[in-house]
Amino acid sequence: VVTSRTGGITDVCGNGGRGIMKDFFSVVLWVIYPYAMLLSFFVGTFVRLKFYPASVTAVSSEMLEKKKLMIGAITFHVGIILAFFGHILGILIPKAFTDFLGISDEMYHMFGSLMMGTGAGVLALAGMIILTYRRFTNVRVFVTSSWSDLMVNVALLITIILGLASTLSGPLHPAFDYRTTLSVWARSLFYLQPKWWLMATVPWIYKTHVICGLAIFGFFPYTRLIHAIAIPYQYFYRRYIVYRRRPRV
């Protein structure tokens, strides 16, 4: 026999056997996989920045096509930055804190998740569609793109679509509250006490979005996405560059 997380006793030879396998896959998916992707992110980023700093670049293709790049890049970056910080706040701020401030669940989900989250998601999606269309349809941009570049575009596009779909599907899951399940699980990873069983009641659209998002983190250091953390801090203490005009004769 085996004791489940809910305290019940199940028979190994019967439904308990399937329960054990289900728990095993849940542990792989919501404990081992997240830590593997985070380890890949931190170790890969350190190695890339330490030993291959010259490779940390966005590999801009502005010289090949500029108009669509400017529109798509600005729209995408504004949307993805807003969405990123929205995710951070949604994960780090517990429900008890917003309850203490007197913010009701309806107000939080309406203004925080639905309105702001949808706005950021639409901006990121519009920009990513433009950038992906440009990369796959502009011949000069396409032939100079690596397989990594193409996969990054597709992966980001899929992840953004899943995230936007998760936000908009909220009314379809009235009993689900990600702040008491998904967010608690995410915070528990940093406590090194992962509460993987909380993901059991999370709708599949949220789970798929999380899996894709973690995959992007895992492959982040090995793609051009690494340029996102390449802060040019040297500009704060480098010597001034003196330009001299050529004297007129």
Side-chain angles (χ1 to χ4, degrees):
V1 294
V2 62
T3 304
S4 67
R5 277 286 174 182
T6 57
I9 305 298
T10 54
D11 185 359
V12 173
C13 298
N15 294 330
R18 289 191 292 271
I20 292 174
M21 290 302 298
K22 184 178 180 180
D23 285 352
F24 171 75
F25 287 119
S26 295
V27 171
V28 170
L29 205 55
W30 308 121
V31 179
I32 298 175
Y33 173 68
Y35 281 128
M37 293 298 101
L38 291 174
L39 182 66
S40 175
F41 173 81
F42 287 110
V43 174
T45 299
F46 173 79
V47 171
R48 184 103 180 249
L49 294 178
K50 180 68 175 180
F51 300 103
Y52 307 96
S55 69
V56 180
T57 172
V59 195
S60 177
S61 56
E62 182 179 348
M63 295 181 62
L64 303 178
E65 195 283 327
K66 186 174 182 179
K67 184 177 180 180
K68 292 186 181 67
L69 176 62
M70 291 297 100
I71 297 174
I74 293 174
T75 307
F76 166 73
H77 282 90
V78 170
I80 205 67
I81 289 173
L82 292 175
F84 175 78
F85 284 106
H87 280 65
I88 295 298
L89 292 175
I91 291 173
L92 295 183
I93 298 179
K95 184 176 183 297
F97 182 76
T98 55
D99 290 342
F100 174 77
L101 295 179
I103 301 175
S104 64
D105 291 344
E106 292 77 11
M107 184 183 299
Y108 180 90
H109 289 294
M110 177 61 69
F111 292 98
S113 299
L114 195 58
M115 294 181 64
M116 297 179 64
T118 301
V122 168
L123 282 176
L125 179 60
M128 201 65 241
I129 289 175
I130 294 173
L131 293 175
T132 305
Y133 176 82
R134 170 184 176 272
R135 186 166 295 280
F136 279 88
T137 59
N138 187 292
V139 177
R140 294 195 298 172
V141 175
F142 181 79
V143 297
T144 55
S145 300
S146 64
W147 281 105
S148 172
D149 297 334
L150 300 176
M151 291 183 65
V152 163
N153 274 64
V154 174
L156 285 173
L157 187 61
I158 293 174
T159 305
I160 293 170
I161 291 174
L162 289 170
L164 192 57
S166 300
T167 301
L168 296 176
S169 66
L172 301 178
H173 309 283
F176 170 69
D177 187 356
Y178 73 88
R179 293 189 296 164
T180 59
T181 53
L182 199 156
S183 293
V184 177
W185 162 78
R187 290 197 297 271
S188 71
L189 293 175
F190 296 98
Y191 303 152
L192 300 182
Q193 296 179 340
K195 300 179 179 180
W196 51 268
W197 57 90
L198 293 177
M199 296 297 289
T201 59
V202 176
W204 68 268
I205 189 71
Y206 288 85
K207 290 180 179 179
T208 311
H209 177 57
V210 170
I211 292 171
C212 292
L214 288 171
I216 289 177
F217 268 97
F219 290 98
F220 179 94
Y222 319 109
T223 66
R224 67 168 62 202
L225 292 176
I226 190 70
H227 80 276
I229 60 173
I231 302 174
Y233 58 88
Q234 298 91 340
Y235 285 97
F236 291 104
Y237 59 81
R238 74 174 187 178
R239 293 182 177 181
Y240 290 105
I241 299 176
V242 179
Y243 291 92
R244 293 184 175 88
R245 289 184 177 180
R246 180 179 297 178
R248 294 183 180 180
V249 179

